[in-house]
Each structure stands twice: as structure tokens, then as C-alpha cells.
Amino acid sequence: MTDVAGQNVGFIGLGLMGKPMARNLMRAGAITTVHNRSQGVVKELVAEGMHAGGSPAGTAVAAQTVIMMLSDTPAVEGVMRGDDGVLAGMQPGTLVIDMGTTKVPVTRALAAEVEAKGGVYVDAPVSGGTIGAEGGTLTIMAGGAYEAFQRAEPYLQILGGRITHVGPVGTGQVAKAANQVIVGLNIGAVAEALALAKRAGADPARVREALKGGFADSRILEVHGQRMIDHAFTPGAKATTQRKDMDQAIELAAELGLVMPATALSRDLYDKLIESGGADLDHAALIKAIDPDA
Amino acid sequence: MTDVAGQNVGFIGLGLMGKPMARNLMRAGAITTVHNRSQGVVKELVAEGMHAGGSPAGTAVAAQTVIMMLSDTPAVEGVMRGDDGVLAGMQPGTLVIDMGTTKVPVTRALAAEVEAKGGVYVDAPVSGGTIGAEGGTLTIMAGGAYEAFQRAEPYLQILGGRITHVGPVGTGQVAKAANQVIVGLNIGAVAEALALAKRAGADPARVREALKGGFADSRILEVHGQRMIDHAFTPGAKATTQRKDMDQAIELAAELGLVMPATALSRDLYDKLIESGGADLDHAALIKAIDPDA
């Protein structure tokens, strides 16, 4: 394992998640070159001591490691395959790490394209939101050859608190899909349970309390259950993102001949929430699609 | 609060749960009189130092506290209202505690009937299975007037590890319904997620490991996720019981004008599992209804 200090790192995608992640790498001593579609955040980070890559290719050209934290699969494809893309700029031996939530077949194809250029590829999507990104406590699910994962590990340890090597390239994204299926369905479970409790004359806060420590206990009951009780739907993670991730999981399942009936139903309930104006609310707002009075 | 030692307790329903619970009360020093439909277990417990009530009425007649741990709502109604029932035998001042999973309207009606006889009623259903019953570590969700709950509390503390007073009579059963909704739906969530992981070429055991500590984490991922990975479906809680409890929750919701779409879908998936021969398997066997090859 190499250390991060003194290493050339390119970081592409400086949104709510990417910006604090790039900062954590610089604080750990990496020579950090950044790129982002809108330039305000680039200027801000350059003022803090980072370098501007100017393009994905320019960010990759001198980097031993390129990390992407982009919003969706088309953004990753554009950054990788564009005329000024990472594939055009990278040198042989470069490690490319995709930390966004990207479709599995695209992940596998991009990994092959990076390998054809003499590089290595790791998919390492995360769970834990902006708080986890800022604190360097993200849960990270990594896919890639073991040697590639070992090269990525020092960087992932700067960015996250719990890092698991799931298996070959793509399996980090598979784990993230599984994560999002469970998160969406567990939110729906807590929503129906607390809506029922309120209608039936029980205080939902007392019911949540009573369920702690038993088989119904979960991080979602703890965090999102409390949001439902407080009607506190400032995201966290947005309903639209949750919907997109579940849709992506359903698409992956369909390609493999698997029907996921509960996930499909949950996606439809998220559509209902989004159509009624809840797109930018926290994903816990799903309870509004079950019972507007809950 | 009174102590349990030296108190006359009647215990009705000596199944997998009730038998170890009665034993825990006797060990705590209660004078324990028991009744059960089949008599083998009664003889066994009498040999250990308990008394045979002979009927629900005979079990209640000298008891300060009567505890029921029965399999379903009709059993509770029969034990309470039958010719030799608890209501026929109980003295004024008796505390009746129902620790089974009973329909909310029946619970409220029985509480009124007990009060009309000068007694008090607490519904105190449990979560935690036979292991919790044996170890005295059950999660207990209690409904009843505060004074009634206070009388019940020393007994509940012998039987359980985490006791919550949810609110008035019936709210313990409401919390249990909420518990069973969440348990059933979280099992379905883990089932779809692990089935997807396996189809997509990831090791479900590694995926479960990767999800720990993140928002997808839950007691169900921990316990039932492991059962799915191991194909270990010896119950625990049976699929038929899970199905009954969810159906009861759906019935309660319908009476209140609430539709619970995910719970209804999950009940249908449990029907599919039961129809294909899985009635007596653990409720985690739901994954077979999602993907027989998972």
C-alpha cells in the first residue's frame, strides 16, 4: 500500500459530496487537481491550494489516481469518453475510481476501456450522504481486482469509515443497488407502520420507541422514522435520487430475468410522491404517498 | 410497584413461548397456576412445582394477575368469554395481561368486559421469539391505563428486557401490528436485494457485510439476511404467523380507511411461499418466493 501524501490525485465532480471529499484528500497531503462542470467551486478549491485540471483529460494527465463523484451514469460516460475525457488524457498505470452510483454494465465496459489504456479501475460507490462525505465516514462498497482495490484502499480510507471489497469490477455497484433497494423498501415499511399507528390512536413516537432493539429495528427506523414523526423532510437524500437508484436496480434485475415486485411498487409510490410535488424532499417523505395526514 | 415473589399468578397458554415464560415467573418466586388446552405440558410444569388451574376460570379464581400467551384472537376470545372462562372466574381487582398478538378491536372490547367485572387490563404483545421467551429478554409493547401498566410492570420485567408503555389499552397491539408490518417488509427488502446481488454476480455474504453500518442496516439484514445466505429456514417465526399478523394489520388499517400497498403485496408474496409448501419455514424463506434459485 502506498500512502496518499505527495501522490497526484485528480478529482472530478465537486458537488455536495465531491467537494468535501476532495478537501479530505488535500488535507491528507495529496497533490489534488480538480475539475467540475461549473467553475465557481473549482476557483474556491484552487484558492485553498488545489490545482485546476481544466478538463477531465487535463485532470487525468498527471494523476496517478483519478476519482469521480458524479451525479449519474450519463455524466460518468461523458467524463470518461468525451473528446477531453479521462480516457483521452490518462497515462498507462493510472488508477480510476468511480465513487458515484453508476449502472453495472457501463461500469464493466468502462473498466475494460481503462484496462485497454493500461490502467486499472475500481467502482466504489458510497452510502452516508453529505455528513459522511464531510466527516470522512462514508460506507464504501468496492468492486475491482484485488490488486486494484489495494491501490485504491489508502484513498478510500481517507474518504470513508467502513470499506468493503465486495468482489470483481461492478460488484461495488451491485452492492450499492442492493443498498438502495433495502433503503427504499425499509422507508416504505416504516411509513406504513407509523401511518397505521397514528390512525389507530397510538403515538408514533412511542411506537418507534417500543420497536427499538427488536426485529423491526433498523437505521431507517432510527433516522427516517424520526424524520417522519417530525415532518422534517429537508434532504438528506432526495426522493428523485432514491427513485432513480431503485429504477436502476429494477433495470439491472430485468436484464438478469429477475422480477423485484416490492421494489417496483416502491418506485411507483416514489413516482406518486414526486408527481405531487415531493421531488426535492428527503426520501423519508414517502409517508406522504401512503397517508397525507400521517 | 409490588414484587412478583409470593404473588398468585395464573398463566394460560403454555406453547413454545408461554412455557418458558411461566417458568421465569415461578423462578422469580410467583405462586404460579397454569392452564393449557393440551395437558402434557401442564403435568410437566406441575411436576416442577406449579399448580393446575383446570380451566381458565379455575386459573383466574385465586390469581391477582392472569397472563395469557395464546396463538390467535379466537383463542383469546374463547379463554376469556367461555363458560369456564377468565371473565367467569376472576375476582374484582384482578389484573389481566394479554401477551399474544390479538386484534385491536377485540382487545378494547375485552378490556371493557374486564373493567365491568372490577378488573384492569393490559395488552402487552412481544417480539423476540422463543429465545427471548427463554432468556427473559423479550421486547414488550404495552397498552393500558398508566396505573394498570404500573401493576403489570414487575411481571413484564421478569419476562422481557425492553418494556415500553405505548399508551392506552390497545396501543400495545397497534405497536405489535406496526412491528410485524416492518418485519415482513424488511424481510422482503433483504430478499430482493440479496437475490439481485446473486444474479448480478456478487457474493451475497460480501454484500451483506458491505451494507452493515450504513442506512440499509437492520436487525433483519443481520439475522434474516444470514438465514437467507445459509438457506437456514428452521423457524424462528413461521411464514404462516408472519402472514396472519400482516393480514391482521391490513384489516385494522382497512377499518381505519388506510391502504398499505407494500404490506398487501408482501402478504401476497407470503401466500405464494405458503402455497408452494413453505408454511412452516422461517419467515426469511420469503426469498424463495422472489427467486427460487437465490
Side-chain angles (χ1 to χ4, degrees):
Chain A
M1 287 209 296
T2 58
D3 199 45
V4 170
Q7 298 291 304
N8 274 298
V9 178
F11 200 105
I12 302 170
L14 304 166
L16 287 175
M17 300 286 289
K19 183 175 157 184
M21 291 165 74
R23 279 184 174 141
N24 285 337
L25 290 168
M26 190 182 72
R27 281 192 199 116
I31 302 159
T32 311
T33 302
V34 294
H35 179 67
N36 194 59
R37 199 169 43 183
S38 64
Q39 292 301 304
V41 62
V42 174
K43 284 177 191 158
E44 191 184 340
L45 294 180
V46 166
E48 293 176 17
M50 298 192 200
H51 307 277
S55 69
T59 304
V61 70
Q64 282 120 346
T65 302
V66 176
I67 300 176
M68 296 180 290
M69 191 65 199
L70 297 154
S71 59
D72 57 21
T73 300
V76 174
E77 292 183 285
V79 159
M80 289 296 295
R81 293 174 178 152
D83 289 341
D84 285 320
V86 170
L87 286 161
M90 64 174 275
Q91 303 299 312
T94 303
L95 166 65
V96 178
I97 310 176
D98 177 13
M99 301 191 70
T101 300
T102 303
K103 293 184 183 185
V104 174
V106 172
T107 296
R108 288 179 177 145
L110 289 173
E113 291 162 42
V114 166
E115 281 163 28
K117 293 268 182 180
V120 292
Y121 196 91
V122 169
D123 50 304
V126 306
S127 175
T130 52
I131 294 167
E134 285 160 9
T137 59
L138 294 165
T139 295
I140 302 179
M141 301 150 251
Y146 187 63
E147 300 68 30
F149 171 73
Q150 280 186 305
R151 273 187 64 186
E153 207 173 4
Y155 299 92
L156 302 181
Q157 276 172 346
I158 299 297
L159 299 168
R162 187 179 168 89
I163 297 123
T164 307
H165 183 223
V166 179
V169 155
T171 59
Q173 294 296 351
V174 171
K176 179 68 191 279
N179 186 84
Q180 293 302 80
V181 162
I182 292 177
V183 166
L185 296 185
N186 285 10
I187 287 174
V190 172
E192 294 196 5
L194 294 186
L196 173 62
K198 187 165 181 182
R199 287 262 185 143
D203 177 355
R206 298 296 300 161
V207 169
R208 173 176 165 282
E209 202 59 33
L211 269 42
K212 272 191 190 170
F215 278 136
D217 206 357
S218 68
R219 285 276 287 152
I220 295 296
L221 179 69
E222 189 187 328
V223 176
H224 300 75
Q226 191 61 49
R227 286 181 191 157
M228 293 177 203
I229 289 164
D230 296 339
H231 297 264
F233 297 132
T234 306
K238 289 182 184 179
T240 44
T241 307
Q242 181 66 46
R243 194 262 177 216
K244 169 188 78 75
D245 290 352
M246 294 178 90
D247 195 54
Q248 211 156 283
I250 290 164
E251 184 184 316
L252 174 63
E255 287 161 6
L256 301 163
L258 177 68
V259 175
M260 299 197 293
T263 308
L265 173 74
S266 178
R267 180 190 53 187
D268 294 348
L269 290 170
Y270 272 106
D271 281 337
K272 191 175 160 191
L273 171 64
I274 290 164
E275 282 158 20
S276 68
D280 292 335
L281 297 180
D282 187 79
H283 47 170
L286 189 68
I287 194 170
K288 290 165 164 281
I290 304 297
D291 185 357
D293 302 324
Chain B
M1 286 211 295
T2 56
D3 199 45
V4 170
Q7 299 291 302
N8 273 299
V9 178
F11 201 105
I12 302 170
L14 303 166
L16 287 175
M17 300 285 290
K19 184 175 158 184
M21 290 165 74
R23 280 184 173 142
N24 285 337
L25 290 168
M26 189 182 73
R27 282 191 198 116
I31 302 160
T32 311
T33 302
V34 294
H35 180 68
N36 194 59
R37 198 169 45 185
S38 65
Q39 291 302 304
V41 61
V42 173
K43 283 177 193 157
E44 190 183 341
L45 293 180
V46 166
E48 293 175 18
M50 298 192 201
H51 307 275
S55 70
T59 304
V61 70
Q64 282 119 347
T65 301
V66 175
I67 300 176
M68 297 181 288
M69 191 64 199
L70 297 153
S71 59
D72 58 20
T73 300
V76 173
E77 291 182 286
V79 159
M80 288 297 296
R81 293 175 178 151
D83 289 342
D84 285 321
V86 170
L87 285 161
M90 64 176 274
Q91 302 302 310
T94 303
L95 166 66
V96 178
I97 310 176
D98 176 14
M99 301 191 72
T101 300
T102 303
K103 293 184 185 186
V104 174
V106 173
T107 296
R108 289 182 176 142
L110 289 173
E113 292 163 42
V114 166
E115 280 163 30
K117 292 268 181 182
V120 292
Y121 196 90
V122 169
D123 51 303
V126 307
S127 174
T130 51
I131 294 168
E134 285 161 9
T137 60
L138 295 164
T139 295
I140 302 179
M141 300 149 255
Y146 187 63
E147 300 69 30
F149 171 72
Q150 280 186 306
R151 272 187 66 186
E153 207 173 3
Y155 299 92
L156 302 181
Q157 278 173 345
I158 299 296
L159 300 169
R162 186 179 170 88
I163 297 123
T164 307
H165 182 223
V166 180
V169 154
T171 59
Q173 294 296 350
V174 171
K176 179 68 190 281
N179 187 84
Q180 293 303 81
V181 162
I182 292 177
V183 167
L185 296 185
N186 285 10
I187 287 174
V190 172
E192 294 195 4
L194 294 186
L196 173 63
K198 188 166 183 183
R199 287 261 187 145
D203 177 355
R206 296 297 300 160
V207 170
R208 173 176 165 282
E209 202 58 33
L211 270 41
K212 272 191 193 171
F215 278 138
D217 206 358
S218 67
R219 286 277 285 152
I220 296 295
L221 179 70
E222 189 187 328
V223 176
H224 300 74
Q226 192 60 50
R227 286 181 191 159
M228 292 177 203
I229 289 165
D230 296 340
H231 297 262
F233 297 131
T234 306
K238 288 182 184 179
T240 43
T241 306
Q242 181 66 45
R243 195 262 176 217
K244 168 188 78 77
D245 290 351
M246 294 179 91
D247 195 55
Q248 210 155 284
I250 290 164
E251 183 183 316
L252 175 63
E255 286 162 8
L256 300 162
L258 178 68
V259 175
M260 299 197 295
T263 309
L265 174 74
S266 179
R267 179 192 53 186
D268 293 349
L269 290 170
Y270 272 105
D271 280 337
K272 191 175 159 190
L273 171 64
I274 290 164
E275 282 159 21
S276 67
D280 292 334
L281 297 180
D282 186 79
H283 47 171
L286 189 68
I287 194 169
K288 290 166 166 278
I290 304 296
D291 185 356
D293 302 324

